[in-house]
Amino acid sequence: MLQKTFLHSGWEFAEKGWPGGKVATVSTGWLPAQVPGHVHLDLMANGIIADPFERMNELGCQWVDRADWSYKTSFEWAPKEGCPRRVLRFEGLDTVCSAFLNGELVAEHDNMFVPLEVDVTEKLIEGPNELRVDFQSAVRVGEERRAAYFEANGIAPDTLWFEERAFVRKAQYMFGWDWGPRLVSCGIWRPVCLIEFTARIIDVQVDAKREADGTIALNVKTEYEGDGVTPRHIYGDRQFLDGKHKIHNMVRDWTPGVMSFDEDDPASVGPITLGFISVLAHADDSVLRDLNEGKTPGWPTEDYPESYADDSYIWIGVSRPTLLQNHDAWGESFEFEVNGKKIWARGANWIPDHSFPSIIDKARLRDRLEKAKDMGFNMLRVWGGGLYETDEFYNLCDELGILVWQDFPFACSYYPDDEHWQEVIRKEAEVNIKRIRNHPCLALWCGNNENLEMHVNRWGGERQPPRYFGENHYDKVLPALVSELDPKTSYISTSPIGQPPEEQVKDQKRRGPNADGYGDQHNWDVWHGRGDWRHYTDSKGRFSSEYGFASSCSLSVWNKTLAEEDWDPHSPVVQWHDRTGKGHDTFHGFVKLHYPEPVTLEDWVYYSQLNQRDALRHGVEHYRRSEFCRGSLIWQLNDCWPVQSWSILDSDGNYKALAYELRRLHADVLVSLERQNENVKVWLVNHGAEADSGVVTVRAVHLGTGAVLRTWASEELESGSDSIQLALEFSVAGLAVPDTILFACFPDPLPCPSPSEGGGVPGAWQLLGEPKNSRFAEPEDLLFSTSEEGVLTLRLKAPVVDLMLTSEGDPSAFLDNFITSPGEQVRVRLAYMPEFIEARSLAGEHRVKVTRGQL
């Protein structure tokens, strides 16, 4: 028997005075607290601090991070028959803390990424019990450890890129980043519970292997504790009796054990092939009888009789993602293979979705990840300045067929790596490798983010430490653990990885780990270098694992963040919510290279998002039509607070302009227009679809009238799977640049289907001139029909370019947006019918009317 009681009610908190170990409460006494949670959230709820996301309130909250805080609650307990063992389990404590039960110190903890378990079998008392957790300031502890470590290792105090955050095992982004605020915080950030049991499962490892005869062999190892139990393993809703039968039977007394099933049994989701296995530990064979009567193993556990002790429900991956790094004509490849089939990776980098990660629940994760799937993602990189994500995150990636590149949580810093710290990291990594390794979505482990790049290219100039601190973790501890605990998954020591150190190319453009031709590449030479996104085509990166261009969040996010006096694109508060590191004038200058001068904040949102869309369209298309590149992971998918950043979704999860375009850019078949002065090339790229044949058609259309000025068509083409071909090449000489837009389509004549409509390859378009210099038709009045449920229908009289639809600045109602059309009927899918509709295009603002009748 096993019983779990969550201890989430009745919590209070207070600022703590550490001398003497006594609690010094604030003047109002102990205040109510939320668990799971963070201290900033509790201070906000009690009216002590303002919301740090609004205006510049972040600055007024810095004192919180230097204070110490205490949390306490009480709970009733009585012994339970059949549950002789009792364990307190904290899924996550942030970060440096001590735990007390009934005034007795029972544990000290120092790692946000590792659960804490305390055996309290002999410590609970019948009746009320008090549980208290005292947190020390992670900032102050980090500073103290840094000073001591620097003195012991002869490191100069003014050394850069080796700050206090490196000395606390805590999500590094919470100390501030170039897209996030500095809100270090503390708290009981994950669930806490009392587990009482006879026996329980500690760990299950499942390894799936495809055999030559087409069956899938599963090797399952179960670790459990307790007496009088036997683990049973069940695949799907089929029972295994004795380990000799391949299917429809139950395996008993099977640890470790191997079973196999037909290849057709699992389900395929994107590149991932799934089944599931349920592992039970119990003492009564009535469970087996119930299962044989047709009960399905797995959740909910209420289906099992009282003799049930514990179970573990695990998705298993029949697919085997593998990283390939082979010498070739361009240097050394960096590409992923799944079950012997090479894939072209499409996706982005994932950061923690909130500055206070206790807020991130399964519904929020599902929203973000389903949007990633809608945008054609097949991979996410969990970035090293954040977290080992929650089980809910990986379960959703399994379900949606999104592969995960998992960084270990080290980023843009040197790290202490003596024997003490190696042991700290070994324990942390072991827990998390075991927790994550069974997930079919897991494609790669990576030691850190940009730490080798930082060292080789001497970030900080002369103010850097004498050696590559942290190297022992990435080159010794972590690869050894991955090899031991998860040998099926590839590992790289850092990103970008580049060539081996002795072979690294060092030039002024991309030195060392970030060189062209080898490994993955972080292409920041554009945003942090030359500025104009047209330079993306200079990259010869084998796999672009970070690159991005910044834009504003949605107007609806600004509505929650600004006061009336801040409502200006150049206001101090708007500038405060820009962490892009370029300076306000430079950021605006990048947009004004292509778009008109933003006068209002509404202008800035619109033009900056379009410029970001154009930049990543240019970059993704370059990489996809390049023979040498096998992946594009944009920086970044999401945001953790209201900010102007490189994100595709803003902090409310709203699509920016880029998000709608990614449906086309990430489709298996891509039509790409590449223009160099008067010469235009049309590429046809296929990364995964079945072969299709047809003609590529391009039309030049007059922006003012919609008249077709010229038409070009290719020969009959076949778009073979994993192929790149030049379909058409022509000149636009003689066309009036400010008045012309090109539309391209394959395999059918125009109009092409939109990415949301299906039934064909999404069409491509391109203005011949810069948007700021183009001559558009006067913005026409728009009449929308709601005659079809869940859809707005619009019939246009003239071409429209980048028609943005919002409702009081909020784009979330419109599943299709930023619409460009040569002048025809357009369908816009709705998430819900908004009360108001605002519309603007590059021609200006449009008046809107809505009718229920058909157009």
Side-chain angles (χ1 to χ4, degrees):
M1 184 174 178
L2 181 146
Q3 180 167 320
K4 182 182 293 187
T5 305
F6 287 99
L7 306 177
H8 292 165
S9 61
W11 284 92
E12 299 175 304
F13 80 112
E15 188 176 353
K16 183 181 183 304
W18 277 89
K22 297 180 180 179
V23 173
T25 62
V26 293
S27 58
T28 54
W30 288 87
L31 298 172
Q34 184 73 37
V35 170
H38 279 85
V39 68
H40 284 81
L41 302 175
D42 293 326
L43 291 168
M44 288 166 55
N46 285 278
I48 297 172
I49 63 171
D51 187 341
F53 286 6
E54 295 178 3
R55 306 200 74 210
M56 298 170 71
N57 295 339
E58 174 196 354
L59 286 171
C61 300
Q62 299 304 301
W63 66 273
V64 176
D65 298 332
R66 304 199 70 89
D68 301 321
W69 300 93
S70 185
Y71 281 74
K72 72 174 183 178
T73 190
S74 61
F75 60 94
E76 294 285 330
W77 178 81
K80 296 176 181 61
E81 185 177 355
C83 291
R85 296 283 303 281
R86 298 134 199 167
V87 173
L88 272 176
R89 182 175 174 87
F90 297 87
E91 294 292 343
L93 292 167
D94 181 15
T95 293
V96 185
C97 60
S98 303
F100 298 82
L101 181 63
N102 298 320
E104 177 188 355
L105 176 66
V106 292
E108 293 183 335
H109 194 64
D110 192 10
N111 197 312
M112 183 180 184
F113 309 124
V114 176
L116 170 65
E117 281 200 354
V118 183
D119 190 322
V120 292
T121 301
E122 304 300 330
K123 298 183 182 298
L124 290 170
I125 57 177
E126 190 165 357
N129 288 259
E130 184 187 75
L131 179 61
R132 193 179 90 233
V133 183
D134 293 343
F135 292 93
Q136 297 185 57
S137 162
V139 173
R140 196 183 65 249
V141 169
E143 290 172 345
E144 292 168 354
R145 291 175 179 174
R146 179 183 189 267
Y149 193 85
F150 276 27
E151 183 177 0
N153 288 274
I155 304 172
D158 65 347
T159 297
L160 298 178
W161 300 101
F162 206 174
E163 305 305 327
E164 83 280 8
R165 66 180 173 87
F167 295 85
V168 184
R169 292 310 296 154
K170 175 179 172 67
Q172 302 286 272
Y173 81 106
M174 299 177 79
F175 290 83
W177 222 265
D178 55 4
W179 37 258
R182 183 179 171 92
L183 297 166
V184 180
S185 204
C186 71
I188 304 171
W189 76 283
R190 296 284 292 148
V192 54
C193 62
L194 175 65
I195 304 173
E196 302 172 82
F197 60 94
T198 304
R200 61 173 176 159
I201 296 170
I202 302 299
D203 180 63
V204 179
Q205 182 179 8
V206 182
D207 184 28
K209 182 180 179 181
R210 193 180 302 272
E211 302 288 8
D213 63 359
T215 61
I216 309 299
L218 297 181
N219 191 340
V220 184
K221 299 178 181 179
T222 304
E223 178 185 351
Y224 64 98
E225 66 174 345
D227 300 322
V229 301
T230 302
R232 270 81 176 186
H233 308 75
I234 305 98
Y235 171 75
D237 61 352
R238 292 111 191 228
Q239 293 98 51
F240 291 79
L241 179 62
D242 57 9
K244 297 178 181 179
H245 295 61
K246 286 189 175 182
I247 206 145
H248 300 301
N249 293 306
M250 176 174 289
V251 172
R252 301 184 59 183
D253 304 330
W254 179 54
T255 304
V258 177
M259 59 182 173
S260 61
F261 52 86
D262 294 336
E263 186 174 4
D264 293 337
D265 288 332
S268 292
V269 186
I272 300 173
T273 306
L274 301 173
F276 74 77
I277 188 168
S278 184
V279 181
L280 310 177
H282 51 83
D284 189 335
D285 280 351
S286 64
V287 174
L288 306 184
R289 291 194 296 273
D290 286 344
L291 288 169
N292 284 322
E293 291 172 4
K295 285 197 173 184
T296 300
W299 309 120
T301 55
E302 294 90 292
D303 287 343
Y304 297 121
E306 291 183 359
S307 58
Y308 146 81
D310 194 7
D311 78 352
S312 180
Y313 176 90
I314 299 168
W315 284 107
I316 57 172
V318 179
S319 49
R320 284 284 188 113
T322 304
L323 175 65
L324 303 179
Q325 294 173 283
N326 300 315
H327 288 286
D328 57 22
W330 298 280
E332 185 178 84
S333 68
F334 192 102
E335 64 181 329
F336 289 89
E337 180 181 83
V338 183
N339 292 335
K341 182 180 179 181
K342 296 176 181 179
I343 67 166
W344 212 95
R346 284 153 270 183
N349 288 259
W350 171 270
I351 65 170
D353 202 54
H354 200 280
S355 290
F356 307 118
S358 63
I359 282 179
I360 306 169
D361 59 12
K362 185 176 181 179
R364 186 182 180 107
L365 289 172
R366 178 173 287 279
D367 174 76
R368 305 306 192 256
L369 293 175
E370 287 185 344
K371 286 172 177 173
K373 191 67 176 178
D374 175 58
M375 290 182 271
F377 283 29
N378 61 16
M379 179 174 283
L380 279 171
R381 175 183 176 230
V382 178
W383 168 74
L387 303 160
Y388 304 95
E389 279 295 336
T390 59
D391 292 337
E392 292 89 347
F393 175 90
Y394 301 108
N395 286 336
L396 286 167
C397 288
D398 291 340
E399 174 189 330
L400 296 169
I402 299 175
L403 296 171
V404 171
W405 163 333
Q406 176 69 53
D407 281 4
F408 286 95
F410 303 90
C412 301
S413 178
Y414 295 96
Y415 287 88
D417 63 356
D418 56 22
E419 290 186 2
H420 164 74
W421 281 101
Q422 288 179 47
E423 185 59 27
V424 169
I425 301 309
R426 183 177 291 108
K427 292 178 180 178
E428 170 193 312
E430 179 178 358
V431 167
N432 286 285
I433 291 171
K434 285 184 173 182
R435 179 172 65 88
I436 300 170
R437 65 186 173 186
N438 289 323
H439 285 279
C441 63
L442 182 63
L444 181 70
W445 292 101
C446 175
N448 68 72
N449 172 77
E450 296 186 343
N451 293 355
L452 182 59
E453 162 78 358
M454 170 192 69
H455 175 68
V456 171
N457 288 330
R458 301 184 63 81
W459 296 5
E462 298 303 317
R463 295 169 61 188
Q464 61 176 349
R467 69 172 180 87
Y468 180 27
F469 281 88
E471 184 175 17
N472 286 329
H473 302 320
Y474 326 130
D475 293 349
K476 178 181 172 183
V477 175
L478 296 176
L481 279 171
V482 171
S483 178
E484 175 190 352
L485 301 175
D486 188 20
K488 70 180 186 301
T489 306
S490 302
Y491 172 85
I492 60 174
S493 62
T494 186
S495 177
I497 184 63
Q499 296 170 278
E502 64 274 10
E503 300 177 21
Q504 284 173 2
V505 177
K506 296 187 178 182
D507 59 49
Q508 291 183 348
K509 292 183 179 179
R510 294 184 181 88
R511 300 180 298 167
N514 221 16
D516 275 332
Y518 298 84
D520 66 315
Q521 186 176 90
H522 293 192
N523 190 0
W524 290 110
D525 180 52
V526 175
W527 177 263
H528 285 306
R530 290 175 285 175
D532 191 351
W533 46 258
R534 297 187 185 278
H535 294 294
Y536 279 130
T537 52
D538 296 337
S539 169
K540 298 296 187 295
R542 308 308 306 275
F543 189 108
S544 192
S545 54
E546 272 194 30
Y547 67 114
F549 222 83
S551 70
S552 170
C553 52
S554 302
L555 276 175
S556 55
V557 173
W558 285 126
N559 276 324
K560 301 175 182 178
T561 305
L562 306 179
E564 184 177 354
E565 59 268 30
D566 307 324
W567 205 256
D568 183 280
H570 307 291
S571 73
V573 176
V574 169
Q575 293 188 50
W576 181 256
H577 288 262
D578 167 17
R579 300 299 166 88
T580 58
K582 295 309 297 180
H584 181 70
D585 292 339
T586 302
F587 188 5
H588 276 246
F590 288 169
V591 176
K592 289 188 289 185
L593 286 171
H594 307 285
Y595 285 90
E597 174 87 34
V599 177
T600 65
L601 188 59
E602 290 86 350
D603 291 340
W604 174 241
V605 170
Y606 182 59
Y607 293 142
S608 68
Q609 288 196 14
L610 289 180
N611 195 53
Q612 180 194 37
R613 187 274 317 275
D614 295 350
L616 274 299
R617 175 169 61 191
H618 196 70
V620 173
E621 289 193 6
H622 163 66
Y623 287 123
R624 286 202 60 186
R625 63 177 180 251
S626 301
E627 293 282 357
F628 50 79
C629 185
R630 295 297 296 177
S632 158
L633 302 181
I634 295 166
W635 186 268
Q636 67 216 58
L637 174 62
N638 54 328
D639 269 327
C640 66
W641 78 311
V643 68
Q644 304 182 74
S645 80
W646 304 274
S647 69
I648 302 166
L649 306 174
D650 66 26
S651 58
D652 278 356
N654 295 317
Y655 280 29
K656 296 184 181 181
L658 170 61
Y660 302 99
E661 179 70 357
L662 284 174
R663 294 171 179 158
R664 182 185 75 85
L665 295 172
H666 285 164
D668 282 344
V669 181
L670 172 72
V671 178
S672 173
L673 290 163
E674 180 186 16
R675 183 181 168 212
Q676 296 175 337
N677 299 320
E678 294 179 340
N679 187 62
V680 176
K681 295 179 180 179
V682 186
W683 297 87
L684 189 59
V685 180
N686 187 336
H687 286 134
E690 296 294 327
D692 196 3
S693 60
V695 173
V696 171
T697 305
V698 181
R699 293 181 185 178
V701 175
H702 192 279
L703 282 168
T705 66
V708 177
L709 305 174
R710 292 186 197 172
T711 302
W712 301 269
S714 71
E715 301 293 331
E716 182 81 9
L717 298 171
E718 181 171 301
S719 169
S721 182
D722 210 13
S723 66
I724 302 168
Q725 56 185 309
L726 178 60
L728 192 60
E729 188 169 5
F730 57 87
S731 173
V732 293
L735 292 171
V737 170
D739 298 321
T740 307
I741 183 171
L742 301 179
F743 290 92
C745 196
F746 172 85
D748 302 309
L750 292 168
C752 297
S754 73
S756 62
E757 290 176 317
V761 177
W765 63 267
Q766 188 177 109
L767 292 169
L768 284 195
E770 295 288 4
K772 66 182 180 181
N773 299 325
S774 296
R775 295 191 285 255
F776 303 97
E778 288 297 315
E780 63 179 290
D781 293 349
L782 302 179
L783 179 63
F784 288 98
S785 168
T786 60
S787 59
E788 182 181 352
E789 186 176 356
V791 174
L792 287 177
T793 304
L794 169 67
R795 188 177 296 280
L796 296 163
K797 300 175 184 176
V800 66
V801 179
D802 283 324
L803 178 66
M804 178 181 73
L805 304 175
T806 57
S807 180
E808 297 186 317
D810 186 349
S812 62
F814 306 96
L815 299 178
D816 305 305
N817 214 330
F818 292 89
I819 296 155
T820 296
S821 170
E824 59 200 22
Q825 183 168 298
V826 173
R827 297 173 74 254
V828 179
R829 296 173 303 148
L830 295 173
Y832 57 90
M833 184 63 201
E835 186 175 352
F836 305 101
I837 299 177
E838 303 130 357
R840 72 176 292 174
S841 69
L842 284 175
E845 295 185 0
H846 298 256
R847 292 187 300 180
V848 173
K849 293 182 180 179
V850 180
T851 179
R852 293 184 180 180
Q854 293 187 348
L855 297 179

